[in-house]
Amino acid sequence: MAHRSKLLLATCLLLVPISAQDAGQAGRAKAALAQRLKAALTKTGSQSDTAFRLQWGPDKKAKNNRKKMLAQIMGQTQSRATTGSWHETHRVVAFTGAEDDELVLAGTRMLARDKQHDWRRRNGRFADGNEIRHIPDPKSLLQQLAAWPLAITHRSAGSLNDRAVEIISVTLNSDQVSEMIWSGALPLSLTESGAINMIAFGRQFGANKQLRPAARAPEATIDLAISIDPGTNLVHAIRARAWAKNDPNGMAVFIGGNIANNGDEEEDEEEEDPDANAPLVYEDGIPKRSRKDRTVTDWDLRLMEHGQHAPTPLSDQQKQLLK
């Protein structure tokens, strides 16, 4: 018996340093992965003359007619798709759509034109005067991500346009979600609750000394899948999925390009929710989460011609308007 106890003790003593060594190796591997991600974001964000393609919108279409009608009232039934590039002195953005909207941004100046209007100065509006809810700025987004400690949740190998890539998955914390949305790095439509925001805005009026209400922090989980070329350590794609919390009181609210309603409306078809107690399952770097009481929005950024996309020379008219 004594011999058996000594043997067990010796075995335990041998296991302790092995387990500690494994934990240490795992910690060092995770730190190295975080450093590699930071370096890739920093390097890509420091490049000029880079082209991009970006689109965002609800990950599936609403079948409910009332949701569609309310979405039309809120003015965001369509997903957005843009192309563009950033350069040393300016950034250009083109919106896909019937209007052929184009923007040029340089410093504090912005120019806009469409197929009905020539170039003119604008501030947050298209050439025809309509408000622009989001103007993509991939370089600022990359720089913001590079400045943060990011919670890496998964790593996998993948391919992008026949290019082998390393996919690093990240989940933003609540403060990072707020900063991303409020800075304009990600579109507000990923997380906003329009009806609640309009109510809060309305309360600002009625008393001259009434203080502005505190901004309502976005209630959403945002997962990122960042695709990196291991050979160049450049970011080639960032996919985001926002899981925005629906209004708990049953009122219709606008979230992520959709209208969500908890009343007795016909429900959109849902896929089976994953087991809450099981480990997250990842698909192309994005975890599968429960959709219950959530509106899901996708955001997909692709980067091309890193440092090699020559800018189209600005016209004399553009140069004059940008002064």
Side-chain angles (χ1 to χ4, degrees), residues 219-221 223 241-245 287 289-291 294-296:
E219 295 185 56
T221 297
D223 297 306
R241 178 161 287 175
W243 313 78
K245 185 177 181 180
R289 300 183 183 274
S290 172
R291 295 173 180 271
R294 292 290 187 273
T295 297
V296 184

Side-chain angles (χ1 to χ4, degrees), residues 230-267:
T232 61
N233 205 34
L234 288 170
V235 176
H236 281 259
I238 301 179
R239 290 183 59 231
R241 178 161 287 175
W243 313 78
K245 185 177 181 180
N246 291 345
D247 176 62
N249 299 316
M251 64 185 291
V253 297
F254 180 78
I255 305 175
N258 250 340
I259 292 294
N261 187 285
N262 291 339
D264 295 330
E265 290 284 330
E266 174 192 350
E267 293 297 325

Side-chain angles (χ1 to χ4, degrees), residues 41-89:
L41 291 166
T42 301
K43 181 179 180 180
T44 310
S46 67
Q47 302 270 322
S48 292
D49 299 337
T50 300
F52 67 86
R53 183 173 71 251
L54 174 62
Q55 58 185 18
W56 68 94
D59 77 323
K60 51 187 192 172
K61 304 296 183 183
K63 298 178 182 178
N64 185 290
N65 289 331
R66 184 180 178 185
K67 290 182 181 180
K68 291 180 180 179
M69 180 184 69
L70 289 172
Q72 289 173 351
I73 294 173
M74 296 303 295
Q76 280 200 353
T77 55
Q78 295 181 354
S79 300
R80 280 293 189 183
T82 65
T83 59
S85 57
W86 73 84
H87 309 279
E88 194 68 38
T89 59

Side-chain angles (χ1 to χ4, degrees), residues 147-203:
W148 280 332
L150 297 173
I152 297 174
T153 60
H154 187 71
R155 174 188 173 276
S156 59
S159 63
L160 186 67
N161 299 328
D162 296 326
R163 180 193 304 271
V165 294
E166 179 181 33
I167 304 175
I168 301 177
S169 304
V170 168
T171 298
L172 300 179
N173 64 38
S174 58
D175 289 337
Q176 291 169 342
V177 169
S178 295
E179 285 302 314
M180 276 297 197
I181 297 299
W182 291 341
S183 70
L186 289 175
L188 178 63
S189 61
L190 265 66
T191 61
E192 75 176 346
S193 174
I196 293 176
N197 286 342
M198 286 191 294
I199 292 170
F201 180 77
R203 289 174 182 161

